[in-house]
Amino acid sequence: MILKMHQKTKTFIAIAAAATMCAVLNAKDAIAVHSFDKEMSESKQDEFSTMKSMLGKAMKEETSGVKIVFEKKLYELKHCPTDFAFINAEKIKNLEIDGNGATVVLDPANSFLRIQGCENITVKNFTITYSPSPFTQGVISDVNPSEGSFSLTIDKGYPLLPDDAKMREHYGEKCWQWGSVMDSKIRQRKRGVSDHYFIDRVEKTSAPDKFKIIVDKSYADRLKGVSNGDRFAMPVYYFKDNRKNNFTPNVAVGGSSNITVENITLYRNRNSMCFWIGENRGKVTMRGNNITWLPNSNDIIASWRDGYHCKSNETGPTIENCRCEGLLDDSINISTDTIMIKRVLDEKTLELTNPGFTVGDEMGLLYIDSAKWIDGIKVVEAKGNIVTLDTPVKNIKTGEKRPHTDKESTQVYNMKRVNKDFKIKDCFFGMQRRNAMLIRAFNGRIEGNTVEESSANGISLGNETGWFYEGPFPRNITIKENTFKNLWDPGVSLYSSTSANAPINVNFNIKILKNTFIKDSSSPYPPAIYVSKVRGAEIKNNIFKTSSEKILPPESAVKIYNSENIEVGQE
């Protein structure tokens, strides 16, 4: 086991003064403190059963709150087929779980934490990893673009690929997902080739550690430029659970308020988001967390999927002092699920593609074909997918969120769930495949962060339509005192995605102030800041320079297209 460097130590529980702890929980009574290891020893249960029992008792505790404390040691958990998440907190108030520096090793078929419908919960001070590895990696050979294939020899110590027929039987025809071609020398994807390849099938060869990878036919020509000796990383599944759970996040926080997850270090994340923050009612804080490569390993990735996927929250998350590197998807995505109008029943009554409104909610409409935004529409009745509005709506283009098919359909957003007042502060983003920050939200601050060596944008601000459907679009956001260094794409990309050759009809009010952009050459591409189809942005007092300290003028560092009211300069 690669984590034996974590030695068991004696338990040390430091209980803070009762008055201080009670102040945290806004109550007068003392906190009930429980030792996880003592409970497990006395109950003679395994870790999953012990935690389930302790959470059940926490719901009934008659004090002002409960604190569960772990020992600073290694916990190696066996696969649990009955309880998916190790810590599964549902409808609990006033709970703190302190890992005290513990390392928890999970089976890839389980996850670490689920918080649903809770209030005033803190989980902190854990290191999490998975064994066996949820992904595999190896060296590429026999590249054949005309056939759409290459051979993959799995690195020693990493999982072999399962049988193709068994994969299809268990997970369906689209079972293999996708992987990325990585540089032969550094932990970064390879330049000049596709950033991902969907896999059609896998064939065994005469060598037990060598497999033939056949990519989806639409990706065959993209193998040009892939060379023998390049590396490849892709997810692996173990048939222990259903497909749905394969995509369940390592940490999930939903429908909750006043939640803090801090000082969590994550290695070898399971094949889903590292952290999912969705449909929460109140504040969620992610502080001091690290997503990175397993120490003393040859891992070329840390996670196949997103870092923080933040979706449709009433209050936007606060993400501060966190580290993200080695990811094959966006480190942070803050957005709202798009809803479309399946049928117009009358000028005030709509059948939506999915429920998402209650009476009193405000609706926003984005007309993709004309780049028009309307909000302030009130929902006066909501029954499942059927909503009745206080105002007639016209010129609706119906749709069902089908990729490519509904790319001009009218988009619908619940204005209560646009992640207002989000904050990303003092975080570090290292080498990764996708955007460090992907923002489609309202009213936020991005301040004091550092992005280095990413193969995509530092910050991408814009909606998406035609393939994935996420929005609504960025508005009222300040980007201040961040550093962007040697990125493959712009440090900041600001845009709107519509079929009209014009900006959306409202003021975006984006402020890009006092940031530093450093690139490895004076070439105009990529620009430091890219703006397209935007109305209203202030780009001032930024520093643009090369790694050799050559100052670049704003006119060469900022590229603006089809936009209005964009101010660029120094004061």
Side-chain angles (χ1 to χ4, degrees):
M1 160 56 66
I2 204 164
L3 286 171
K4 289 300 183 184
M5 55 184 170
H6 300 276
Q7 299 296 322
K8 298 183 179 180
T9 64
K10 293 182 65 178
T11 308
F12 179 77
I13 304 174
I15 305 174
T20 302
M21 292 303 301
C22 291
V24 171
L25 292 172
N26 193 26
K28 296 180 179 180
D29 299 334
I31 300 295
V33 180
H34 302 286
S35 164
F36 178 82
D37 285 77
K38 182 179 178 182
E39 179 75 16
M40 188 166 67
S41 176
E42 292 177 351
S43 66
K44 300 186 182 340
Q45 299 182 108
D46 64 14
E47 291 89 347
F48 273 86
S49 299
T50 300
M51 178 53 67
K52 185 175 183 178
S53 175
M54 295 185 81
L55 293 175
K57 292 176 182 178
M59 293 181 66
K60 303 174 183 178
E61 195 78 50
E62 294 183 357
T63 63
S64 62
V66 172
K67 182 175 182 179
I68 298 173
V69 183
F70 282 68
E71 295 184 18
K72 187 179 181 180
K73 69 175 191 181
L74 176 66
Y75 296 83
E76 296 182 271
L77 278 58
K78 296 180 180 179
H79 171 234
C80 181
T82 55
D83 297 295
F84 183 73
F86 171 46
I87 302 173
N88 187 4
E90 188 166 351
K91 298 180 180 178
I92 298 177
K93 295 182 179 180
N94 304 332
L95 171 68
E96 179 180 333
I97 301 178
D98 188 349
N100 196 32
T103 294
V104 177
V105 182
L106 291 158
D107 187 282
N110 292 118
S111 70
F112 173 62
L113 173 64
R114 175 180 176 265
I115 297 173
Q116 183 64 42
C118 294
E119 295 181 22
N120 301 327
I121 306 290
T122 295
V123 179
K124 62 183 183 179
N125 302 331
F126 286 93
T127 294
I128 309 300
T129 190
Y130 289 84
S131 182
S133 173
F135 58 83
T136 195
Q137 62 185 54
V139 178
I140 290 173
S141 62
D142 308 320
V143 182
N144 188 339
S146 62
E147 186 184 58
S149 70
F150 60 87
S151 294
L152 180 66
T153 301
I154 304 298
D155 289 348
K156 185 178 180 180
Y158 290 85
L160 300 179
L161 297 177
D163 179 72
D164 187 270
K166 188 176 180 181
M167 280 288 290
R168 295 177 191 281
E169 179 184 354
H170 200 78
Y171 297 122
E173 286 301 308
K174 300 292 184 181
C175 55
W176 284 107
Q177 296 298 315
W178 55 269
S180 290
V181 174
M182 308 295 288
D183 189 274
S184 62
K185 296 179 180 179
I186 61 174
R187 288 164 155 165
Q188 178 62 287
R189 75 174 182 88
K190 183 178 180 178
R191 281 183 181 264
V193 301
S194 177
D195 69 354
H196 69 284
Y197 293 85
F198 273 96
I199 299 168
D200 179 63
R201 67 184 187 278
V202 172
E203 297 177 358
K204 294 181 179 180
T205 71
S206 58
D209 61 346
K210 187 174 183 179
F211 298 84
K212 184 176 182 180
I213 309 295
I214 298 91
V215 300
D216 184 274
K217 62 182 180 180
S218 63
Y219 286 79
D221 195 55
R222 303 187 201 182
L223 288 174
K224 294 176 180 177
V226 177
S227 304
N228 293 342
D230 292 340
R231 297 183 291 177
F232 193 74
M234 61 182 289
V236 174
Y237 300 105
Y238 294 97
F239 310 113
K240 293 180 180 178
D241 224 318
N242 59 42
R243 186 181 181 89
K244 179 181 178 182
N245 280 347
N246 276 335
F247 297 99
T248 299
N250 170 64
V251 170
V253 180
S256 301
S257 61
N258 297 326
I259 307 299
T260 300
V261 178
E262 61 180 326
N263 297 332
I264 304 296
T265 295
L266 178 58
Y267 308 127
R268 287 187 170 178
N269 182 53
R270 72 187 313 273
N271 294 321
S272 184
M273 296 95 173
C274 300
F275 299 86
W276 178 83
I277 305 163
E279 300 182 356
N280 289 287
R281 305 184 306 271
K283 187 174 182 179
V284 175
T285 299
M286 299 279 153
R287 180 185 301 119
N289 302 320
N290 299 294
I291 305 166
T292 188
W293 302 282
L294 180 70
N296 304 314
S297 77
N298 294 318
D299 291 0
I300 54 177
I301 66 172
S303 175
W304 177 61
R305 296 299 292 270
D306 305 44
Y308 298 84
H309 198 86
C310 312
K311 189 72 74 173
S312 305
N313 296 284
E314 293 184 27
T315 300
T318 293
I319 303 173
E320 57 187 12
N321 296 112
C322 293
R323 186 179 188 92
C324 299
E325 56 191 352
L327 294 94
L328 291 188
D329 216 330
D330 304 302
S331 286
I332 297 176
N333 177 329
I334 303 180
S335 58
T336 299
D337 279 323
T338 299
I339 297 173
M340 289 186 179
I341 299 165
K342 194 173 181 179
R343 287 192 302 159
V344 178
L345 303 181
D346 61 48
E347 62 180 5
K348 291 186 178 181
T349 308
L350 310 174
E351 180 184 355
L352 307 178
T353 51
N354 49 285
F357 290 88
T358 58
V359 173
D361 287 348
E362 180 185 343
M363 178 182 289
L365 295 177
L366 179 57
Y367 292 84
I368 297 296
D369 56 338
S370 60
K372 183 179 180 181
W373 170 258
I374 300 174
D375 56 24
I377 303 166
K378 295 291 185 181
V379 175
V380 296
E381 187 175 356
K383 294 181 179 178
N385 291 21
I386 309 297
V387 295
T388 302
L389 311 175
D390 69 342
T391 304
V393 291
K394 299 179 180 180
N395 303 317
I396 296 295
K397 285 194 173 183
T398 59
E400 299 181 32
K401 297 205 309 187
R402 294 166 294 187
H404 307 300
T405 301
D406 297 319
K407 59 186 179 181
E408 290 197 352
S409 297
T410 306
Q411 298 184 3
V412 177
Y413 295 96
N414 187 334
M415 298 307 298
K416 189 171 71 174
R417 299 187 179 277
V418 292
N419 299 285
K420 289 181 179 178
D421 303 316
F422 73 88
K423 297 180 182 66
I424 305 172
K425 190 174 188 298
D426 298 330
C427 295
F428 175 84
F429 303 88
M431 289 191 291
Q432 53 200 307
R433 166 183 163 263
R434 289 282 295 161
N435 305 294
M437 291 161 271
L438 178 59
I439 309 298
R440 320 185 195 278
F442 283 17
N443 305 354
R445 293 187 69 85
I446 303 173
E447 190 169 2
N449 304 284
T450 298
V451 186
E452 294 184 358
E453 309 293 345
S454 174
S455 63
N457 297 280
I459 307 174
S460 178
L461 302 106
N463 63 308
E464 187 163 353
T465 185
W467 176 238
F468 292 105
Y469 294 96
E470 291 181 335
F473 55 91
R475 194 175 187 189
N476 303 329
I477 296 172
T478 296
I479 300 169
K480 185 178 180 181
E481 295 177 350
N482 303 280
T483 299
F484 306 91
K485 184 177 181 181
N486 294 342
L487 309 186
W488 295 15
D489 288 336
V492 178
S493 288
L494 173 60
Y495 56 93
S496 62
S497 295
T498 68
S499 55
N501 194 29
I504 296 173
N505 64 318
V506 294
N507 183 11
F508 278 43
N509 189 29
I510 306 297
K511 296 181 179 180
I512 305 174
L513 311 171
K514 298 182 179 181
N515 302 281
T516 300
F517 298 84
I518 305 169
K519 55 193 302 186
D520 55 10
S521 75
S522 57
S523 167
Y525 298 99
I529 300 174
Y530 168 86
V531 181
S532 176
K533 295 198 292 189
V534 169
R535 187 190 308 268
E538 182 180 335
I539 304 172
K540 292 185 176 178
N541 301 324
N542 299 285
I543 297 172
F544 308 103
K545 62 182 180 179
T546 68
S547 53
S548 60
E549 298 296 320
K550 178 182 178 181
I551 299 298
L552 303 174
E555 54 266 27
S556 69
V558 181
K559 300 299 180 182
I560 302 171
Y561 305 93
N562 298 328
S563 297
E564 300 176 9
N565 302 329
I566 310 298
E567 300 179 35
V568 181
Q570 303 288 333
E571 292 182 351

